[in-house]
Amino acid sequence: MWRKISHAIKTIRKWREEPLHIEFNLTDHCNLNCKGCTHYSPLAPEEYEPLERLEREARHIAGIKNASLIREVYLIGGETLLYPQLTRAIRIVRHHFPWVKLSVFTNGLLIPKMDEDFWKACRETDCEIALTRYPLKIDYDRIERICREKGVAATVFGDRGEESSFFRFPLDPEKKQNRMMSHMRCFSFGCITIDGGRIYPCSLSACVKHLNTRLGTDFRHEKGDYIEVEKLTDARQLLTLRNRPVPFCGYCKRITDVKYGPSRRSIEEWVDTK
């Protein structure tokens, strides 16, 4: 018992020392169709974050008290490179967050097709390409080489090159999970996601609307599950959202290893129905 308590205390301390980062979710639309996607991309419509709202939110968050606590900003998806105004989005976010490490997350498929305006924006804003590898016939060495040739840093943020290196994130529709335990073992800890004018502690919570809409589930948000962007006044509110369990954590069961494969848009990919 004491060993478990000690481990929990060390875990909490480690979390609180993690740099604060936020993720602007530009789209859940994707050019891959991955089983159990945490953004529910196989279920999501082709929609994109309005650039005007992105700029408004970036300006607001950058101007809050203790904003300097935010050390990293990610532009994410879905597949982020599908965002039609990505070059402008990069410049907007860098303008408001000149002190952060800025990264665009991508599966890399579209890297060879990106135009020179994109590469120029990345160079001028010191924006990094964060690649996630998939067990598909993709020449990632070539993709990284293209980034280097364009003078843009590229790192492998997630190496999912093996078919067995994927996970299932099952939700409990009865919401009977221990929130603290779910939070303690959270794979998405720290992935503060900004989506639709709200700030969520993870993408599962931010994007569950697609699951509800397409498959008829009823995963709901309660008070404390998110912060309205316009009501955010201090970056320490983000730390609280990150470091403590929220009501939505009651849906989250222990993750399990799964073999990579295409989504069949089946409810069992995301929900424990038994």
Side-chain angles (χ1 to χ4, degrees):
M1 174 62 75
W2 287 111
R3 182 175 295 179
K4 290 183 179 180
I5 293 174
S6 176
H7 176 71
I9 292 173
K10 290 179 180 179
T11 299
I12 293 171
R13 286 176 176 171
K14 181 180 178 181
W15 282 349
R16 291 178 176 175
E17 293 172 357
E18 287 288 319
L20 180 62
H21 85 259
I22 59 175
E23 305 179 353
F24 287 100
N25 191 29
L26 301 185
T27 181
D28 293 315
H29 181 49
C30 191
N31 52 3
L32 290 180
N33 179 43
C34 303
K35 178 172 61 178
C37 172
T38 57
H39 279 245
Y40 309 100
S41 291
L43 307 175
E46 184 176 348
E47 296 177 342
Y48 303 98
E49 176 72 5
L51 192 69
E52 296 78 12
R53 183 163 63 192
L54 172 66
E55 181 162 21
R56 185 168 62 249
E57 292 175 343
R59 182 189 306 113
H60 178 83
I61 295 172
I64 62 175
K65 186 178 180 180
N66 293 308
S68 61
L69 291 174
I70 301 171
R71 305 310 305 167
E72 300 174 342
V73 175
Y74 301 160
L75 299 179
I76 64 168
E79 173 43 47
T80 318
L81 299 190
L82 289 171
Y83 188 67
Q85 298 172 295
L86 181 57
T87 298
R88 291 184 63 191
I90 291 170
R91 292 189 181 280
I92 285 170
V93 173
R94 173 54 80 200
H95 173 74
H96 292 293
F97 294 91
W99 68 90
V100 303
K101 177 182 178 182
L102 178 61
S103 301
V104 168
F105 277 61
T106 175
N107 59 36
L109 271 68
L110 292 175
I111 286 291
K113 299 180 180 180
M114 301 307 289
D115 61 27
E116 187 54 36
D117 285 344
F118 168 78
W119 295 112
K120 182 179 179 182
C122 289
R123 288 192 299 269
E124 293 181 348
T125 61
D126 192 24
C127 180
E128 186 174 279
I129 304 298
L131 291 167
T132 300
R133 291 175 177 257
Y134 289 83
L136 301 169
K137 293 181 179 180
I138 302 171
D139 189 347
Y140 283 106
D141 290 338
R142 175 174 177 251
I143 289 171
E144 291 184 58
R145 186 170 62 252
I146 290 172
C147 294
R148 289 195 300 270
E149 290 172 351
K150 295 295 184 179
V152 176
T155 60
V156 177
F157 184 85
D159 193 343
R160 301 285 184 263
E162 300 295 328
E163 289 189 351
S164 59
S165 61
F166 282 78
F167 306 99
R168 177 174 179 263
F169 297 81
L171 298 180
D172 173 10
E174 296 185 2
K175 205 176 186 178
K176 292 184 177 180
Q177 302 306 301
N178 182 293
R179 297 177 185 178
M180 180 60 75
M181 292 303 298
S182 294
H183 186 255
M184 288 287 294
R185 59 177 180 248
C186 180
F187 184 86
S188 299
F189 173 80
C191 299
I192 297 174
T193 305
I194 302 164
D195 184 273
R198 294 176 174 179
I199 306 171
Y200 300 86
C202 69
S203 63
L204 287 170
S205 179
C207 305
V208 75
K209 58 191 175 186
H210 303 309
L211 190 61
N212 289 337
T213 299
R214 287 291 301 275
L215 297 182
T217 53
D218 190 28
F219 295 103
R220 303 182 182 184
H221 291 111
E222 299 180 24
K223 182 179 180 180
D225 277 327
Y226 60 85
I227 302 171
E228 298 283 355
V229 172
E230 63 183 16
K231 294 181 180 179
L232 184 71
T233 60
D234 193 320
R236 295 188 186 279
Q237 292 172 258
L238 300 177
L239 290 173
T240 298
L241 185 70
R242 182 190 75 173
N243 294 342
R244 299 178 184 175
V246 298
F248 195 89
C249 294
Y251 288 125
C252 298
K253 303 186 74 172
R254 186 185 295 272
I255 66 172
T256 56
D257 296 338
V258 294
K259 186 177 180 180
Y260 179 78
S263 173
R264 297 180 178 178
R265 297 169 178 80
S266 169
I267 193 170
E268 289 79 13
E269 293 178 29
W270 295 280
V271 182
D272 272 356
T273 56
K274 296 181 180 179

